Amino acid sequence: MQKEHFDKLMGFLLGASWAIVLFGALITFNLFLYLGLSLSLFFTIIFIVLSMFFIMALDAFVINRKRLEEAKKQTKLLEKLYSKHTK
């Protein structure tokens, strides 16, 4: 049950992050458009790159969680094998 809550929360956060990137890029572009098209594009790209780091961090949490679950499964299997061969 705890796993499902984590997956739902991370899915929501990833979706919200993508929405923030899209709308934030649009807002950033419009905010700096008075300085010129090239400067506005530059600031928008900087915003997108920084936002992608946050999305990658969230994705890293998901990957590390899956890696931990797989390590727990392998540990249980190794313990079973060890207990069979030591008896």
Side-chain angles (χ1 to χ4, degrees):
M1 197 70 172
Q2 187 73 5
K3 180 180 159 184
E4 292 177 6
H5 291 299
F6 179 78
D7 290 336
K8 287 179 183 178
L9 178 66
M10 292 309 288
F12 174 76
L13 289 175
L14 280 170
S17 297
W18 279 108
I20 289 171
V21 168
L22 291 175
F23 290 119
L26 180 65
I27 291 169
T28 303
F29 181 78
N30 287 332
L31 187 66
F32 290 105
L33 192 57
Y34 75 94
L35 295 174
L37 185 64
S38 61
L39 201 56
S40 180
L41 283 173
F42 175 74
F43 283 126
T44 303
I45 291 171
I46 294 295
F47 174 79
I48 290 172
V49 168
L50 290 176
S51 299
M52 289 297 172
F53 282 117
F54 293 119
I55 291 175
M56 286 190 293
L58 286 173
D59 219 14
F61 285 134
V62 172
I63 290 170
N64 283 333
R65 171 84 177 210
K66 289 180 182 177
R67 185 183 303 158
L68 177 65
E69 290 172 5
E70 192 64 34
K72 286 180 181 180
K73 288 178 190 175
Q74 290 176 3
T75 302
K76 286 180 184 179
L77 288 172
L78 286 173
E79 286 173 353
K80 286 180 184 178
L81 285 172
Y82 181 75
S83 66
K84 279 185 181 179
H85 291 291
T86 54
K87 288 183 179 180

